[in-house]
Amino acid sequence: MLTSTVLAMTRIWLKFHDVLVKGRGGGIDEVLAASPATDVTEQQVPHERLLDIALVVLPISVLLLMTIQGSFQIAQSWASYHMGASKVVAEIYFFLGGVAPYDQNPGTNQRRFLKRLRDMVKRLSVSGIREEDLVKSASGEQAAASMDLEMLQCEIHQSLYGIEPLCFPCRKVRDVLRSCCGGSAWGALLDGPEHRDLAAPVNAEVYMEIRMAPLKKFYSDTVRSVSRLRMVLYCALMLVICVSVGLGATDHFSVWIPVTLGVATFLTTITHWMTPPEVVSALNSAIAMLQKMELRWQGSDIRENRSDVTKQRLISATERMVLTVERAMSRATAVPEA
């Protein structure tokens, strides 16, 4: 719609450019009255036919895209898929930590875990996501890649915490240096962090290290990036508003005021879409909650930190907080409980 507005005002400006130029000395109405109507309406404008076609095609394309979005419910399907993935991650940590409902014997916990995962898949099918689409990525060449523990951990860090893996040339250079410095102290530094068993049970200390610390850093980085983007968009919006005021003070360029208003509306929409206030509020609340739990952890003794009560409290509170943040980021209204 913004492009349609710009093209429409460009069409009008090209059509009446000569009239506006002649109207500098006197009123535009006098020039229009003195000039024959055919001189304006029959004036040849460059690319006039292309502009006329674009003015018809663009609004129809926008309406068509809006109809497709309403029919297929792309945003709702993505929100359901995103929240389903977040719920699976929470269930995995509940299972590994032995938190309710996985506080029974190992056999019962495994059966309950599989049952809850099947229930999640069934609920996703209501949103139009088929089970075949979910398991398709686990076949073919990607299955062999997923067997590599290092690549699997890199994928987890990237999808959950926004940690980008090393590029292919950097990995090759690291492998060469590791082979040259094998057995020395420098070779040990190139090995990177120790790979953990992803299916091993977790206690409170391990959960703080592999889950809460990366979440705190990821949320802090996200808040800073969102705040910077919002500031840039607000500055651009103020600049466009100032330009609109300047155009209103001149007669020759006042015809472009609808274009600047369209740009201002577009920037406002982008601001609410890319930096929604509820996301910033949820992220700030999550950071405050993580900091509070970290301070309580540091102020407690070792026996209390290693207790099952502390482990269940940390895992339950953190995973509920993560689901709240993901719900705000995906614009999901509600998440059905398993």
Side-chain angles (χ1 to χ4, degrees):
M1 298 305 292
L2 174 64
T3 307
S4 301
T5 304
V6 173
L7 291 178
M9 301 315 301
T10 303
R11 177 74 165 78
I12 295 175
W13 187 81
L14 290 175
K15 192 73 174 179
F16 297 99
H17 177 68
D18 293 339
V19 176
L20 292 174
V21 172
K22 295 178 182 178
R24 290 179 180 177
I28 297 178
D29 296 335
E30 289 82 354
V31 177
L32 289 174
S35 301
T38 56
D39 292 342
V40 176
T41 58
E42 295 180 1
Q43 182 180 0
Q44 296 295 328
V45 180
H47 310 294
E48 180 179 358
R49 184 174 180 83
L50 181 61
L51 288 174
D52 292 338
I53 295 176
L55 289 174
V56 176
V57 171
L58 285 176
I60 294 177
S61 302
V62 171
L63 293 177
L64 181 61
L65 292 176
M66 293 176 63
T67 303
I68 293 175
Q69 180 181 2
S71 300
F72 292 97
Q73 298 181 351
I74 300 175
Q76 292 83 351
S77 299
W78 180 84
S80 300
Y81 180 83
H82 185 76
M83 288 306 303
S86 302
K87 188 69 176 177
V88 169
V89 174
E91 289 293 327
I92 291 175
Y93 280 106
F94 285 152
F95 176 73
L96 296 178
V99 181
Y102 306 110
D103 51 358
Q104 306 296 324
N105 58 79
T108 303
N109 292 338
Q110 291 179 4
R111 290 191 296 269
R112 185 171 296 175
F113 179 71
L114 294 176
K115 180 180 181 302
R116 289 169 70 89
L117 289 183
R118 287 194 296 265
D119 294 339
M120 292 179 193
V121 174
K122 290 180 182 178
R123 283 195 295 271
L124 287 176
S125 62
V126 179
S127 303
I129 302 176
R130 300 177 301 176
E131 185 177 359
E132 293 79 5
D133 298 334
L134 297 177
V135 301
K136 185 182 298 183
S137 60
S139 61
E141 298 178 354
Q142 296 184 358
S146 63
M147 297 302 293
D148 189 355
L149 181 59
E150 182 179 359
M151 295 186 64
L152 180 58
Q153 288 189 341
C154 291
E155 181 67 24
I156 293 174
H157 291 161
Q158 182 180 8
S159 58
L160 295 183
Y161 312 117
I163 302 176
E164 295 293 336
L166 292 176
C167 60
F168 182 76
C170 295
R171 290 200 303 268
K172 289 300 182 182
V173 172
R174 184 195 60 183
D175 295 339
V176 172
L177 293 177
R178 183 187 300 172
S179 61
C180 296
C181 302
S184 62
W186 295 104
L189 293 176
L190 292 172
D191 289 338
E194 181 183 358
H195 298 301
R196 296 182 177 274
D197 186 3
L198 302 178
V202 298
N203 52 27
E205 295 177 353
V206 174
Y207 187 79
M208 286 282 296
E209 179 182 354
I210 68 174
R211 182 64 167 163
M212 296 181 64
L215 277 176
K216 181 181 177 182
K217 183 179 183 304
F218 174 61
Y219 288 161
S220 301
D221 295 340
T222 304
V223 167
R224 284 193 292 267
S225 61
V226 170
S227 300
R228 286 195 297 266
L229 179 59
R230 174 181 288 186
M231 183 180 299
V232 171
L233 291 175
Y234 279 159
C235 292
L237 180 61
M238 293 299 298
L239 179 61
V240 171
I241 293 176
C242 293
V243 172
S244 301
V245 174
L247 292 177
T250 60
D251 294 335
H252 182 62
F253 296 102
S254 61
V255 69
W256 293 100
I257 293 180
V259 176
T260 57
L261 294 180
V263 174
T265 304
F266 176 74
L267 290 176
T268 304
T269 304
I270 289 296
T271 301
H272 288 289
W273 179 57
M274 298 187 67
T275 60
E278 59 271 13
V279 173
V280 179
S281 177
L283 289 172
N284 288 327
S285 300
I287 294 173
M289 181 178 177
L290 290 173
Q291 291 176 347
K292 181 179 179 181
M293 290 190 294
E294 184 179 0
L295 291 176
R296 183 175 179 180
W297 171 271
Q298 295 175 355
S300 303
D301 55 7
I302 298 178
R303 182 171 54 184
E304 182 180 356
N305 289 338
R306 292 181 177 180
S307 63
D308 292 338
V309 176
T310 301
K311 179 185 65 175
Q312 294 180 3
R313 175 176 54 83
L314 288 177
I315 296 178
S316 300
T318 303
E319 296 306 326
R320 286 198 301 267
M321 176 266 298
V322 171
L323 290 178
T324 302
V325 173
E326 297 299 332
R327 184 184 298 113
M329 296 182 68
S330 61
R331 280 81 164 178
T333 56
V335 181
E337 296 294 337

